[in-house]
Amino acid sequence: MRGPLIELDLVAYVANLKLLSKLSGGKRQLPVIKANGYGHGAALLAQAIEANFDRKQVPMVCVARWCEAEALRQVGIKIPIIVLSQYSSEEIDSSHCRDIYLYVSNSQDLESLASLKNETQKIAGLYWHINSGMNRLGFDWQMIAEKEEAAKKFIELIKRLKYAGYQSCGFSSHLAKAEEAPEVLSQEQARRFSLSLSAIKKAWSAELGIFPNEIHFSNSAGCPWNLLKEETDNRPGLLTYGMFQDQGSKDFLISKFPDLKDLSPVLTLKAPVRSIQKIEKGDGVSYGHRFLCQEDKWIACIAFGYADGLRRTLGRSASGASELRFFVEGFAADIVGTVTMDMVMVDLTEHPQLEALKTRLSKGDALWAYWLFDGQDAERHAKVLNTITYEITCDFSSRVQRSPLPRAI
């Protein structure tokens, strides 16, 4: 019997990317598949991108760290990759990866690249990251835009890496509050980034060649706003997976852009039922016997635990009902007792097909319990757990198998 399974609807993933491209006016898309594709499975997503888009539509994909790019190359992914934030000269020096692009966000990045002696050919190009309001990484927009001397110093940094053997391809920034009305901050970030680009272009030196005009600005929620006239590429992440940050942002964005309702969730998570057994009145279930049966119960053991990404806090004592449930043949089953590392128990006592389920298990048939799916989506999980959908799917561990649905793309 296999363990928990993530099923990926790659048809939906491709359709979601195409919809975001349409809403952004046909801009090129640079899909973000960092953190194992937000828990979905980066390699499978990259394969779908390679099979369904040409390089004019999707020229490259984005990850956060060099090790993520290396992992994709090791499984045969050929598409160019941008490393957005974390790499070191030691990683690059010891790697056999090629066709990798890097963001340059601060002096630490600059020094890492400048210190490489014979490995510059591994880096296909650089994008210079401008901090327009995220206030996380990036060169200060205000210094560049408002102080001519600072803009010239920034150009000297670009020259330094050019002379070291690197090609600059363009510039980027990142929206901090794209899920809100653009006047909250996004319009101001676009203005700041545009001023920075103008100042950089003005200070651009002839010896650097043609001004690199690949401009990345919008994340998923920013794609349909089209706030920056200079933008050539979007970096969509969350919405490509058919998820919104939370229910509030979903309602807001769909109210502004009704076509977003056509996005489809890509991920379904289900886990096998391992047993169904009778637990008598007064007996306890799972570690610590936090749940004591007040009457005879039929309890199912499901192969999904906190090592797989199920929150231990969802364990339940005898009182109350589960806010999130496992769905077995359409029946919503409450969690009972402590969530363990590898398993969780649920109450099937009232299941209308209980006898049939027991018979199926006794014959060795597969019986699945659904955890994250259309009927209990990521936004619902996020609401119950007081978090955002990113954290829900990123929590699914590497030992949870990922598999594409058998649908032609």
Side-chain angles (χ1 to χ4, degrees), residues 125-137:
L126 305 177
Y127 295 93
W128 295 82
H129 189 57
I130 308 299
N131 174 21
S132 63
M134 172 64 85
N135 297 327
R136 186 171 61 178
L137 287 173

Side-chain angles (χ1 to χ4, degrees), residues 20 46 62 80 93 120 128 164 176 186-187 191 232 240 242 259 268 270 282 309 322 349-350 390:
L20 290 175
C62 303
D93 187 58
T120 57
W128 295 82
S186 297
Q187 285 178 345
R191 185 188 73 85
T232 60
T240 68
D259 285 351
T268 294
K270 62 184 184 179
S322 301
T349 307
E350 302 299 325
Y390 298 81

